[in-house]
Amino acid sequence: MVWREDPQGELYRRLFALKKQHPALWNAAWGARMMRVPHDGEDRVISFVRVHESGDAVVAAFNLSDAPASVTLGVAPGQDLAYVEATDGSTVEYAEGSVWQLPAWGYRVGVTP
């Protein structure tokens, strides 16, 4: 693949690095199955978790609207694990009743440290 500079280039580099670092995101049988994370904003926000047999896990939410969204999470797999924000290492509260604030077109990605 020939790479060239692009306005989204840094985002792609971070996403590729994240996939390489976390077995939960690997392809096919090497990775983990994507499971829905229920919440009260399903009309605007998509969310999922992938928990690998190794204990590695990734939880993510994406706001697919042009308005900020606040979602309250329901019960989902992997909520017994500790997560940190993939972008800055801050703690991610991923439990039933946790409220996630997402900017317009924004996202959150939590990973197990």
Side-chain angles (χ1 to χ4, degrees):
M1 180 179 291
V2 177
W3 290 97
R4 62 175 188 212
E5 286 305 310
D6 183 271
Q8 299 299 321
E10 185 54 34
L11 173 63
Y12 289 125
R13 280 188 277 282
R14 284 195 319 250
L15 291 174
F16 288 142
L18 192 65
K19 181 175 181 175
K20 191 173 187 178
Q21 292 170 347
H22 292 279
L25 296 176
W26 293 355
N27 295 340
W30 299 281
R33 184 171 171 254
M34 186 169 69
M35 296 172 281
R36 184 176 152 269
V37 174
H39 55 78
D40 61 354
E42 308 254 344
D43 59 328
R44 295 177 293 165
V45 175
I46 185 171
S47 58
F48 66 87
V49 64
R50 292 178 68 165
V51 181
H52 191 265
E53 61 190 27
S54 69
D56 181 64
V58 175
V59 61
F62 301 88
N63 182 358
L64 304 178
S65 75
D66 61 357
S70 175
V71 297
T72 302
L73 304 181
V75 177
Q79 290 179 331
D80 57 331
L81 301 171
Y83 293 83
V84 295
E85 195 71 48
T87 55
D88 64 13
S90 61
T91 301
V92 171
E93 287 190 39
Y94 171 54
E96 180 183 10
S98 295
V99 177
W100 284 13
Q101 306 290 336
L102 299 165
W105 307 114
Y107 61 90
R108 290 192 72 181
V109 177
V111 298
T112 51

